Amino acid sequence: MSDVIIIDYGAGNTRSVRAALSHLGRTSTLSSEPELIAQAELVILPGVGSASSAMEHLHETGAATALHARFASDQPILGICLGMQLALETSEEDGGVECLGLLEGSVRRLDVERVPRLGWAVVEPWGDAFYFAHSYAALSAHCIATSDSICVALRHGSFLGVQFHPEKSAAAGLAFLETCLSPA
Amino acid sequence: MPLARLIPCLDVSKGRVVKGVSFVGLRDVGDPVELAKFYSDGGADELVFLDISATPDNESTMTSVVARVADVLEIPFTVGGGVRSVHDAARIIEAGADRVSLNSAALAEPTLITMIAERYGSQAVVVAIDAGDGVVHTHGGRVATSTATIPWAVEAAERGAGEILLTSIRCDGQRSGFDLELTSAVRDAVGIPVIASGGAGSAVHVANALRVADAALVASIVHENPLGLRALRDEVERLGIKLRQLKEPR
């Protein structure tokens, strides 16, 4: 049985997350099956596609309910980019989307000089640069890290979410993923 | 603002890297996968693959290159050449590319930009513009169109492009510096990031480009000496441009 489940929204590039995990010696399965979500050591909500189509997919497959149950029983979930945003209550994307609501907070369109915000940026207080590609960002009391004053990481209960793409952030990203896979 | 980016561009033909890559240390200099990994370890912030042989016959070849590159690369990469439909973009992105680059196909069918952006997000759509004498060129820069460069860049951004890859035909291949005036003019006109391309001959050229653009595309300057990518980064940083600090690969 594979120890990491990457949630499948039905579209987008999930190959890179799987490749990064296999680089760390972990096998992963792409799935939205509630049973697998319940049993996995770690569930990853990846950062591909749009908020509305991803939420639709999570509801249709029963993954949304399974994620709520997993969160309630304190089993780890990692959200990446859109996957982090989906854990909040609502998003402004696609004209307004009701998200999972695991964490209090919302997702707003970025108000910076250039959108999408694309490229490597240092995350504080962690100190390393990670790769970002986003037009929306989280507003939440559960923020634990920032980049250019933008909230880029959330933690609450067993949920950890990051706005950057660890799977695209070279050595810094792999080191981050490794800490997610071996909780202290 | 995110940090400035250095982006090596690899020309791929029939699944092999071509043009000016000549160096030691690689078993197979023509293998896109090995070269991608080499540049990634050497400090590239991102990579661009340009399929210069793009024909329907070569579709599956390029798709398999993309998948193999995605399996070894832990930095983002863009694939251009041969993306003429949403289907093409889906094929490339679902094989593992982060972004596709549209050039003449976007010019011929501008709604393509919006369709791909709606499905995969703006960050997944780069619009490449080959510019010269104020107008957009097609066919690798050989044919001038009547479309003015700056209005086209603005339109591409409005239609959902997430980045402009701007090549100056006049400067491309000359190694005498980027077209800073053109790059600034385009970047001032749009609210999305701009990659400067064409003319990199030295660290000073690259640093100057990064003062007016979000990223610089480099080709022959690194292909002739890929081991020099780190030295180029150091030199660009000494010239006052902030780049990401490399962390040693595991």
Side-chain angles (χ1 to χ4, degrees), chain A residues 10-16 19-20 22-24 47-50 53 94 113-122 128-129 131 133-135 148 166-172 174-175 178, chain B residues 1-3 5 37 45-46 67-68 70-71 73-77 93-99 118-120 122-123 161-163 187-188 190-194 214 244-245 247-250:
Chain A
N13 168 13
T14 44
R15 194 178 185 108
S16 307
S22 98
H23 207 90
L24 295 170
V48 296
S50 74
S53 62
D94 299 325
E113 190 194 334
R114 281 175 203 274
V115 178
R117 179 170 179 263
L118 216 56
W120 297 77
V122 174
D128 282 326
Y131 186 79
H134 61 128
S135 301
D148 297 335
E167 77 280 14
K168 289 288 165 185
S169 297
L174 287 179
E178 192 151 54
Chain B
M1 293 285 290
L3 301 160
R5 285 169 283 152
K37 187 68 186 153
D45 293 309
E46 202 173 314
R68 286 187 298 128
D71 283 343
L73 210 60
E74 281 112 20
I75 57 170
F77 69 102
I93 290 172
E94 295 189 15
D98 297 274
R99 318 182 309 125
E118 277 173 358
R119 180 139 165 204
Y120 294 106
S122 280
Q123 85 292 335
E163 190 155 51
R187 191 168 181 272
D188 286 347
V190 298
I192 60 175
V194 174
D214 300 275
R244 86 181 149 107
Q245 295 307 302
K247 210 175 157 108
E248 287 313 308
R250 298 157 31 89

Coordinates of all heavy atoms in Angstrom, one line a residue, chain A residues 10-16 19-20 22-24 47-50 53 94 113-122 128-129 131 133-135 148 166-172 174-175 178, chain B residues 1-3 5 37 45-46 67-68 70-71 73-77 93-99 118-120 122-123 161-163 187-188 190-194 214 244-245 247-250:
Chain A
G10 N -8.6 15.6 -11.3 CA -9.0 15.3 -12.7 C -8.3 16.0 -13.8 O -8.5 15.7 -14.9
A11 N -7.5 17.0 -13.5 CA -6.8 17.8 -14.5 C -5.5 18.4 -13.9 O -5.5 18.7 -12.7 CB -7.7 18.8 -15.1
G12 N -4.5 18.6 -14.7 CA -3.4 19.3 -14.3 C -2.1 18.4 -14.1 O -2.2 17.2 -14.3
N13 N -1.1 19.1 -13.7 CA 0.2 18.5 -13.6 C 0.5 18.0 -12.2 O 0.8 18.8 -11.3 CB 1.3 19.5 -14.1 CG 2.7 19.0 -13.7 OD1 2.9 17.8 -13.3 ND2 3.7 19.9 -13.8
T14 N 0.3 16.7 -12.0 CA 0.5 16.1 -10.6 C 1.8 15.3 -10.7 O 2.2 14.8 -9.7 CB -0.6 15.3 -10.2 OG1 -1.1 14.4 -11.2 CG2 -1.8 16.1 -9.7
R15 N 2.3 15.1 -11.9 CA 3.5 14.3 -12.1 C 4.7 14.8 -11.2 O 5.5 14.0 -10.7 CB 3.9 14.3 -13.5 CG 4.9 13.2 -13.9 CD 5.2 13.2 -15.4 NE 6.0 12.1 -15.7 CZ 5.6 11.0 -16.3 NH1 4.3 10.9 -16.8 NH2 6.4 10.0 -16.6
S16 N 4.8 16.1 -11.1 CA 6.0 16.7 -10.5 C 6.0 16.4 -9.0 O 7.0 16.2 -8.4 CB 6.0 18.2 -10.7 OG 6.0 18.5 -12.0
A19 N 7.0 12.9 -8.6 CA 8.4 12.7 -8.9 C 9.3 13.2 -7.7 O 10.2 12.5 -7.3 CB 8.8 13.5 -10.1
A20 N 8.9 14.3 -7.1 CA 9.6 14.8 -5.9 C 9.6 13.8 -4.8 O 10.6 13.5 -4.1 CB 9.1 16.1 -5.5
S22 N 9.1 10.5 -5.0 CA 9.9 9.3 -5.4 C 11.4 9.6 -5.2 O 12.1 8.7 -4.8 CB 9.5 8.8 -6.7 OG 10.4 9.2 -7.7
H23 N 11.7 10.9 -5.4 CA 13.1 11.3 -5.2 C 13.5 11.1 -3.7 O 14.6 10.9 -3.3 CB 13.2 12.8 -5.5 CG 14.6 13.2 -5.9 ND1 15.0 13.1 -7.2 CD2 15.6 13.6 -5.2 CE1 16.3 13.5 -7.3 NE2 16.7 13.9 -6.1
L24 N 12.5 11.3 -2.8 CA 12.7 11.1 -1.4 C 12.4 9.7 -1.0 O 12.3 9.4 0.2 CB 11.7 12.1 -0.6 CG 12.0 13.6 -0.8 CD1 10.9 14.4 -0.2 CD2 13.3 13.9 -0.2
G47 N -1.5 21.6 -6.2 CA -1.9 22.9 -6.6 C -2.1 23.0 -8.1 O -1.3 23.7 -8.8
V48 N -3.1 22.3 -8.6 CA -3.3 22.4 -10.0 C -4.8 22.7 -10.3 O -5.7 22.4 -9.5 CB -2.9 21.1 -10.8 CG1 -1.4 20.8 -10.6 CG2 -3.7 19.9 -10.2
G49 N -5.0 23.3 -11.5 CA -6.4 23.6 -11.9 C -7.0 24.8 -11.3 O -6.3 25.7 -10.8
S50 N -8.3 24.9 -11.3 CA -9.0 26.1 -10.8 C -9.8 25.7 -9.5 O -10.2 24.5 -9.3 CB -9.9 26.7 -11.8 OG -11.1 25.9 -12.0
S53 N -13.4 24.0 -10.2 CA -13.5 22.6 -10.8 C -12.9 21.7 -9.7 O -13.4 20.5 -9.6 CB -12.7 22.6 -12.1 OG -11.4 22.9 -12.0
D94 N -12.8 32.4 -9.7 CA -14.0 31.9 -10.5 C -15.3 32.5 -10.0 O -16.3 31.9 -10.0 CB -14.1 30.4 -10.4 CG -12.9 29.6 -10.9 OD1 -12.3 30.1 -11.9 OD2 -12.5 28.6 -10.3
E113 N 2.2 44.4 -7.7 CA 2.5 45.1 -8.9 C 2.3 44.2 -10.2 O 1.8 44.6 -11.2 CB 4.0 45.5 -8.9 CG 4.4 46.5 -10.0 CD 5.9 46.6 -10.2 OE1 6.6 46.5 -9.1 OE2 6.3 46.9 -11.3
R114 N 2.7 42.9 -10.1 CA 2.5 42.0 -11.2 C 1.8 40.8 -10.8 O 2.3 40.1 -9.9 CB 3.9 41.7 -11.9 CG 4.3 42.9 -12.7 CD 5.6 42.8 -13.4 NE 5.9 44.2 -13.6 CZ 5.6 44.8 -14.7 NH1 5.0 44.2 -15.7 NH2 5.9 46.1 -14.9
V115 N 0.7 40.4 -11.5 CA 0.0 39.2 -11.2 C -0.2 38.5 -12.5 O -0.5 39.1 -13.5 CB -1.4 39.6 -10.6 CG1 -2.2 38.3 -10.4 CG2 -1.3 40.4 -9.3
P116 N 0.1 37.2 -12.6 CA 0.5 36.3 -11.5 C 1.9 36.6 -10.9 O 2.8 37.2 -11.5 CB 0.6 34.9 -12.1 CG 0.7 35.1 -13.6 CD 0.0 36.4 -13.9
R117 N 2.0 36.3 -9.6 CA 3.3 36.5 -8.9 C 4.1 35.2 -9.2 O 3.7 34.1 -8.7 CB 3.0 36.6 -7.4 CG 4.2 36.8 -6.5 CD 3.8 37.2 -5.1 NE 5.0 37.3 -4.2 CZ 5.4 36.3 -3.4 NH1 4.8 35.2 -3.3 NH2 6.5 36.5 -2.6
L118 N 5.1 35.4 -9.9 CA 5.8 34.3 -10.5 C 7.3 34.3 -10.2 O 7.9 35.3 -10.4 CB 5.6 34.4 -12.1 CG 5.4 33.2 -13.0 CD1 4.3 32.4 -12.5 CD2 5.2 33.8 -14.4
G119 N 7.8 33.2 -9.7 CA 9.2 33.2 -9.5 C 9.6 32.8 -8.1 O 8.7 32.4 -7.3
W120 N 10.9 32.9 -7.8 CA 11.4 32.5 -6.5 C 11.4 33.6 -5.5 O 11.7 34.8 -5.9 CB 12.9 32.0 -6.6 CG 13.1 30.8 -7.5 CD1 13.0 30.8 -8.9 CD2 13.3 29.5 -7.1 NE1 13.2 29.5 -9.3 CE2 13.4 28.7 -8.3 CE3 13.4 28.9 -5.9 CZ2 13.6 27.3 -8.2 CZ3 13.7 27.5 -5.8 CH2 13.7 26.7 -7.0
A121 N 11.0 33.4 -4.3 CA 10.9 34.4 -3.3 C 11.2 33.8 -1.9 O 10.9 32.7 -1.6 CB 9.6 35.1 -3.3
V122 N 11.9 34.6 -1.1 CA 12.3 34.1 0.2 C 11.1 34.1 1.1 O 10.2 35.0 1.1 CB 13.4 35.1 0.8 CG1 13.7 34.7 2.3 CG2 14.7 35.0 0.0
D128 N 14.6 30.3 3.4 CA 14.9 29.8 2.0 C 14.0 30.4 1.0 O 12.9 30.9 1.3 CB 14.7 28.3 2.0 CG 15.9 27.5 2.6 OD1 17.0 28.0 2.5 OD2 15.6 26.4 3.2
A129 N 14.5 30.4 -0.3 CA 13.6 30.8 -1.4 C 12.9 29.6 -2.0 O 13.5 28.6 -2.1 CB 14.5 31.5 -2.5
Y131 N 9.6 28.4 -5.0 CA 9.0 28.9 -6.2 C 7.5 29.1 -6.1 O 6.8 28.2 -5.6 CB 9.3 27.8 -7.3 CG 8.8 28.3 -8.7 CD1 9.6 29.2 -9.4 CD2 7.6 27.9 -9.2 CE1 9.1 29.7 -10.6 CE2 7.1 28.4 -10.4 CZ 7.9 29.3 -11.1 OH 7.4 29.7 -12.3
A133 N 3.8 30.6 -8.0 CA 3.1 30.9 -9.3 C 1.7 31.0 -8.9 O 0.9 30.1 -8.9 CB 3.3 29.8 -10.3
H134 N 1.3 32.2 -8.5 CA -0.1 32.4 -8.0 C -0.7 33.8 -8.3 O 0.1 34.8 -8.4 CB -0.2 32.1 -6.5 CG 0.6 33.0 -5.6 ND1 0.0 33.6 -4.5 CD2 1.9 33.3 -5.5 CE1 1.0 34.3 -3.8 NE2 2.1 34.1 -4.5
S135 N -2.0 33.8 -8.4 CA -2.7 35.1 -8.6 C -3.6 35.4 -7.4 O -4.2 36.4 -7.3 CB -3.6 35.0 -9.8 OG -2.8 34.7 -11.0
D148 N 7.3 38.6 0.9 CA 6.9 40.0 0.5 C 5.6 40.4 1.2 O 4.7 41.0 0.6 CB 6.6 40.0 -1.0 CG 7.9 39.7 -1.8 OD1 9.0 39.9 -1.3 OD2 7.8 39.2 -3.0
P166 N 6.7 23.2 -3.4 CA 7.9 22.6 -2.9 C 8.5 21.6 -4.0 O 9.7 21.5 -4.1 CB 7.5 21.8 -1.6 CG 6.0 21.8 -1.7 CD 5.6 22.9 -2.5
E167 N 7.6 21.0 -4.7 CA 8.1 20.1 -5.8 C 8.8 20.8 -6.9 O 9.4 20.1 -7.8 CB 6.9 19.3 -6.3 CG 5.9 20.0 -7.3 CD 4.9 21.0 -6.6 OE1 5.1 21.3 -5.4 OE2 4.0 21.4 -7.3
K168 N 8.8 22.1 -6.9 CA 9.4 22.9 -8.0 C 10.5 23.8 -7.4 O 11.0 24.7 -8.0 CB 8.4 23.8 -8.7 CG 7.4 23.0 -9.5 CD 8.1 22.5 -10.8 CE 7.4 21.4 -11.5 NZ 8.1 20.9 -12.6
S169 N 10.8 23.6 -6.1 CA 11.7 24.5 -5.4 C 13.1 23.9 -5.1 O 13.7 24.1 -4.1 CB 11.1 25.0 -4.1 OG 9.9 25.7 -4.4
A170 N 13.5 23.0 -6.0 CA 14.9 22.4 -6.0 C 15.2 21.9 -4.6 O 14.3 21.3 -3.9 CB 15.9 23.5 -6.4
A171 N 16.4 22.1 -4.1 CA 16.8 21.4 -2.8 C 16.0 21.9 -1.6 O 15.7 21.2 -0.7 CB 18.3 21.7 -2.6
A172 N 15.7 23.2 -1.7 CA 14.9 23.8 -0.5 C 13.5 23.1 -0.5 O 13.0 22.8 0.6 CB 14.7 25.3 -0.7
L174 N 12.7 20.1 -1.6 CA 12.8 18.7 -1.2 C 13.0 18.6 0.3 O 12.4 17.7 1.0 CB 14.0 18.0 -1.9 CG 13.7 17.7 -3.4 CD1 15.0 17.0 -4.0 CD2 12.5 16.8 -3.6
A175 N 13.8 19.5 0.8 CA 14.1 19.5 2.3 C 12.7 19.8 3.0 O 12.5 19.1 4.0 CB 15.1 20.6 2.6
E178 N 10.6 16.7 2.9 CA 11.1 15.7 3.8 C 10.6 15.9 5.2 O 10.2 14.9 5.9 CB 12.6 15.7 3.7 CG 13.2 14.4 4.4 CD 14.5 14.0 3.8 OE1 15.4 14.9 3.7 OE2 14.6 12.9 3.4
Chain B
M1 N 8.4 41.9 -4.7 CA 8.6 41.3 -6.0 C 9.5 40.0 -5.8 O 10.4 40.0 -5.0 CB 9.5 42.2 -6.8 CG 8.7 43.5 -7.3 SD 7.5 43.1 -8.6 CE 8.6 42.7 -9.9
P2 N 9.1 38.9 -6.5 CA 10.0 37.8 -6.5 C 11.4 38.1 -7.1 O 11.6 39.2 -7.7 CB 9.3 36.8 -7.5 CG 7.8 37.3 -7.5 CD 7.9 38.7 -7.3
L3 N 12.3 37.2 -6.8 CA 13.7 37.5 -7.2 C 13.8 37.3 -8.8 O 13.0 36.7 -9.4 CB 14.6 36.5 -6.6 CG 14.6 36.5 -5.0 CD1 15.1 35.2 -4.4 CD2 15.4 37.7 -4.5
R5 N 15.1 36.0 -12.3 CA 15.3 34.6 -12.7 C 16.3 34.5 -13.9 O 16.2 35.3 -14.9 CB 14.0 34.0 -13.1 CG 13.1 33.6 -12.0 CD 11.7 33.2 -12.5 NE 10.9 34.4 -12.8 CZ 10.0 34.4 -13.8 NH1 9.7 33.3 -14.4 NH2 9.3 35.5 -14.0
K37 N 18.8 18.3 -16.1 CA 19.2 18.0 -14.7 C 20.5 18.8 -14.5 O 20.7 19.3 -13.4 CB 19.4 16.5 -14.6 CG 19.7 16.0 -13.2 CD 18.5 16.2 -12.3 CE 18.8 15.8 -10.9 NZ 18.0 16.5 -9.9
D45 N 17.1 28.8 -12.7 CA 15.9 29.1 -11.9 C 14.7 28.4 -12.5 O 13.7 28.2 -11.8 CB 15.7 30.6 -11.7 CG 16.8 31.2 -10.9 OD1 17.0 30.8 -9.8 OD2 17.4 32.2 -11.4
E46 N 14.8 28.1 -13.8 CA 13.7 27.7 -14.6 C 14.3 27.3 -15.9 O 15.4 27.7 -16.2 CB 12.7 28.9 -14.7 CG 11.3 28.5 -15.0 CD 10.4 29.8 -15.0 OE1 10.5 30.6 -14.1 OE2 9.7 29.9 -16.0
A67 N 7.7 14.3 -20.2 CA 7.4 13.4 -19.0 C 8.7 13.0 -18.4 O 8.8 13.0 -17.2 CB 6.6 12.2 -19.5
R68 N 9.7 12.7 -19.2 CA 11.0 12.2 -18.6 C 11.7 13.4 -17.9 O 12.3 13.2 -16.9 CB 11.9 11.6 -19.7 CG 11.4 10.2 -20.1 CD 12.4 9.5 -21.1 NE 12.5 10.3 -22.3 CZ 13.7 10.6 -22.9 NH1 14.8 10.3 -22.3 NH2 13.7 11.3 -24.0
A70 N 10.1 15.9 -16.5 CA 9.4 16.2 -15.3 C 9.8 15.2 -14.2 O 9.7 15.6 -13.0 CB 7.9 16.1 -15.5
D71 N 10.2 14.0 -14.5 CA 10.5 13.0 -13.5 C 11.8 13.3 -12.8 O 12.1 12.9 -11.7 CB 10.6 11.6 -14.2 CG 9.2 11.1 -14.3 OD1 8.2 11.6 -13.7 OD2 9.0 10.1 -15.1
L73 N 13.3 16.7 -12.9 CA 13.6 18.1 -12.6 C 12.8 18.6 -11.4 O 11.6 18.4 -11.3 CB 13.1 18.9 -13.9 CG 13.9 20.2 -14.2 CD1 15.4 19.9 -14.4 CD2 13.3 20.8 -15.4
E74 N 13.4 19.4 -10.5 CA 12.7 20.0 -9.4 C 12.7 21.5 -9.5 O 12.7 22.2 -8.5 CB 13.3 19.5 -8.1 CG 12.8 18.1 -7.7 CD 13.9 17.1 -7.8 OE1 15.1 17.5 -7.7 OE2 13.7 15.9 -7.9
I75 N 12.7 22.0 -10.7 CA 12.5 23.4 -10.9 C 11.4 23.5 -12.1 O 11.2 22.5 -12.8 CB 13.8 24.2 -11.4 CG1 14.4 23.6 -12.6 CG2 14.8 24.2 -10.2 CD1 15.5 24.4 -13.2
P76 N 10.8 24.6 -12.2 CA 9.7 24.7 -13.2 C 10.3 24.7 -14.6 O 11.4 25.2 -14.8 CB 9.1 26.1 -12.9 CG 9.7 26.6 -11.7 CD 10.9 25.9 -11.4
F77 N 9.5 24.2 -15.6 CA 9.9 24.4 -17.0 C 8.7 24.6 -17.9 O 7.6 24.2 -17.6 CB 10.7 23.2 -17.4 CG 10.0 21.9 -17.6 CD1 9.6 21.4 -18.8 CD2 9.7 21.1 -16.4 CE1 8.9 20.2 -18.9 CE2 9.1 19.9 -16.6 CZ 8.7 19.4 -17.8
I93 N 1.1 19.9 -20.6 CA 1.0 20.2 -19.1 C 0.7 18.9 -18.3 O 1.3 18.6 -17.3 CB -0.1 21.2 -18.9 CG1 0.3 22.6 -19.4 CG2 -0.5 21.3 -17.4 CD1 -0.7 23.7 -19.4
E94 N -0.2 18.0 -18.9 CA -0.5 16.8 -18.1 C 0.7 15.8 -18.2 O 0.8 14.9 -17.3 CB -1.8 16.2 -18.5 CG -2.8 17.3 -18.1 CD -4.3 16.9 -18.2 OE1 -4.6 15.7 -18.3 OE2 -5.1 17.8 -18.0
A95 N 1.6 16.0 -19.1 CA 2.8 15.2 -19.1 C 3.8 15.7 -18.1 O 4.8 15.0 -17.8 CB 3.5 15.2 -20.5
G96 N 3.6 16.9 -17.6 CA 4.5 17.4 -16.5 C 5.1 18.7 -16.6 O 5.8 19.2 -15.7
A97 N 4.8 19.4 -17.7 CA 5.3 20.8 -17.9 C 4.5 21.8 -17.0 O 3.4 21.5 -16.8 CB 5.3 21.3 -19.3
D98 N 5.2 22.8 -16.5 CA 4.5 23.8 -15.7 C 3.7 24.8 -16.6 O 2.6 25.3 -16.2 CB 5.5 24.5 -14.8 CG 6.1 23.6 -13.9 OD1 5.6 23.3 -12.8 OD2 7.2 23.0 -14.3
R99 N 4.3 25.1 -17.7 CA 3.7 26.1 -18.6 C 3.9 25.8 -20.0 O 4.9 25.2 -20.4 CB 4.3 27.5 -18.2 CG 4.5 27.6 -16.8 CD 5.0 28.7 -16.0 NE 6.2 29.4 -16.3 CZ 6.3 30.7 -16.5 NH1 5.1 31.4 -16.6 NH2 7.4 31.3 -16.6
E118 N -8.1 29.5 -18.7 CA -9.2 29.1 -17.9 C -9.1 27.7 -17.3 O -9.5 27.4 -16.2 CB -10.5 29.3 -18.7 CG -11.0 30.7 -18.7 CD -12.2 30.9 -19.6 OE1 -12.6 30.0 -20.3 OE2 -12.7 32.1 -19.7
R119 N -8.5 26.9 -18.1 CA -8.4 25.5 -17.7 C -7.2 25.3 -16.7 O -7.3 24.5 -15.7 CB -8.2 24.6 -18.9 CG -8.0 23.1 -18.6 CD -8.8 22.3 -19.6 NE -8.4 20.9 -19.6 CZ -8.5 20.1 -20.6 NH1 -9.0 20.5 -21.7 NH2 -8.1 18.8 -20.4
Y120 N -6.1 25.9 -17.0 CA -4.9 25.6 -16.1 C -4.4 26.8 -15.3 O -3.4 26.7 -14.6 CB -3.7 25.1 -17.0 CG -4.1 23.8 -17.6 CD1 -4.4 23.7 -19.0 CD2 -4.1 22.6 -16.9 CE1 -4.8 22.4 -19.5 CE2 -4.4 21.4 -17.4 CZ -4.8 21.3 -18.7 OH -5.1 20.1 -19.3
S122 N -3.6 31.3 -15.4 CA -2.8 32.2 -16.2 C -1.3 31.9 -16.1 O -0.5 32.0 -17.0 CB -3.0 33.7 -15.7 OG -4.1 34.2 -16.3
Q123 N -0.9 31.4 -14.9 CA 0.5 31.1 -14.7 C 1.0 30.0 -15.6 O 2.2 29.9 -15.8 CB 0.8 30.8 -13.2 CG 0.6 29.3 -12.8 CD -0.9 28.9 -12.8 OE1 -1.8 29.7 -12.7 NE2 -1.1 27.6 -13.0
A161 N -2.8 35.7 -20.5 CA -1.4 35.3 -20.5 C -0.8 35.6 -19.1 O -1.2 36.6 -18.5 CB -0.6 35.9 -21.6
G162 N 0.0 34.7 -18.6 CA 0.6 35.0 -17.3 C 2.0 35.5 -17.4 O 2.6 35.9 -16.3
E163 N 2.6 35.5 -18.5 CA 3.9 36.1 -18.7 C 4.2 36.3 -20.2 O 3.6 35.6 -21.0 CB 5.0 35.1 -18.1 CG 6.4 35.7 -18.1 CD 7.2 35.0 -17.0 OE1 7.3 33.8 -17.0 OE2 7.8 35.8 -16.2
R187 N 7.3 46.0 -20.7 CA 7.0 45.7 -19.3 C 6.2 46.8 -18.7 O 5.3 46.6 -17.8 CB 8.3 45.5 -18.5 CG 8.0 44.9 -17.1 CD 9.3 44.5 -16.5 NE 9.1 43.9 -15.2 CZ 9.2 44.6 -14.1 NH1 9.3 45.9 -14.1 NH2 9.0 44.0 -12.9
D188 N 6.4 48.1 -19.1 CA 5.7 49.2 -18.6 C 4.2 49.1 -19.0 O 3.3 49.7 -18.3 CB 6.3 50.5 -19.0 CG 7.6 50.9 -18.3 OD1 7.8 50.2 -17.3 OD2 8.3 51.8 -18.8
V190 N 2.4 46.3 -19.5 CA 1.6 45.2 -19.0 C 1.7 45.0 -17.5 O 2.7 45.5 -16.9 CB 2.0 43.9 -19.7 CG1 1.7 43.9 -21.2 CG2 3.4 43.5 -19.5
G191 N 0.8 44.3 -16.9 CA 0.8 44.1 -15.5 C 1.2 42.7 -15.1 O 1.0 42.2 -14.0
I192 N 1.8 42.0 -16.1 CA 2.3 40.6 -15.9 C 3.8 40.6 -16.1 O 4.4 41.5 -16.6 CB 1.6 39.6 -16.9 CG1 1.9 40.0 -18.3 CG2 0.1 39.5 -16.6 CD1 1.4 38.9 -19.4
P193 N 4.5 39.6 -15.6 CA 6.0 39.5 -15.7 C 6.4 39.4 -17.1 O 5.7 38.9 -18.0 CB 6.4 38.3 -14.9 CG 5.2 37.8 -14.2 CD 4.0 38.4 -14.8
V194 N 7.7 39.9 -17.4 CA 8.2 39.8 -18.7 C 9.6 39.2 -18.7 O 10.4 39.5 -17.8 CB 8.4 41.2 -19.3 CG1 9.1 41.2 -20.7 CG2 7.0 41.9 -19.5
D214 N 11.7 40.8 -15.5 CA 11.6 39.9 -14.4 C 12.5 38.7 -14.5 O 12.8 38.1 -13.5 CB 10.1 39.4 -14.3 CG 9.2 40.6 -14.1 OD1 9.0 41.1 -13.0 OD2 8.7 41.2 -15.1
R244 N 18.2 34.1 -6.3 CA 17.9 33.2 -5.2 C 19.3 32.6 -4.7 O 20.1 32.3 -5.6 CB 16.9 32.1 -5.5 CG 17.5 30.9 -6.2 CD 16.4 29.9 -6.5 NE 16.8 29.2 -7.7 CZ 17.2 27.9 -7.7 NH1 17.3 27.2 -6.6 NH2 17.6 27.3 -8.8
Q245 N 19.4 32.3 -3.4 CA 20.6 31.7 -3.0 C 20.5 30.2 -3.2 O 19.5 29.6 -2.8 CB 20.8 32.0 -1.5 CG 21.0 33.5 -1.2 CD 22.2 34.0 -2.0 OE1 23.3 33.5 -1.9 NE2 21.9 35.0 -2.8
K247 N 20.8 26.3 -2.7 CA 21.0 25.4 -1.6 C 21.6 24.2 -2.3 O 21.2 23.8 -3.4 CB 19.6 25.1 -1.0 CG 19.6 24.7 0.4 CD 18.1 24.6 0.9 CE 18.1 23.7 2.1 NZ 17.7 24.5 3.3
E248 N 22.6 23.5 -1.7 CA 23.2 22.4 -2.4 C 22.2 21.3 -2.5 O 21.5 21.0 -1.6 CB 24.4 21.9 -1.6 CG 25.6 22.8 -1.7 CD 25.9 23.3 -3.1 OE1 26.1 22.4 -4.0 OE2 26.1 24.5 -3.4
P249 N 22.2 20.6 -3.7 CA 21.3 19.5 -3.9 C 21.7 18.4 -3.0 O 22.8 18.2 -2.6 CB 21.6 19.0 -5.4 CG 22.6 20.0 -5.9 CD 23.1 20.9 -4.9
R250 N 20.6 17.6 -2.6 CA 20.8 16.5 -1.7 C 21.7 15.5 -2.3 O 21.7 15.2 -3.4 CB 19.5 15.8 -1.3 CG 18.5 16.7 -0.7 CD 17.1 16.2 -0.9 NE 17.1 14.8 -1.0 CZ 17.0 13.9 0.1 NH1 16.8 14.4 1.3 NH2 16.9 12.6 -0.1

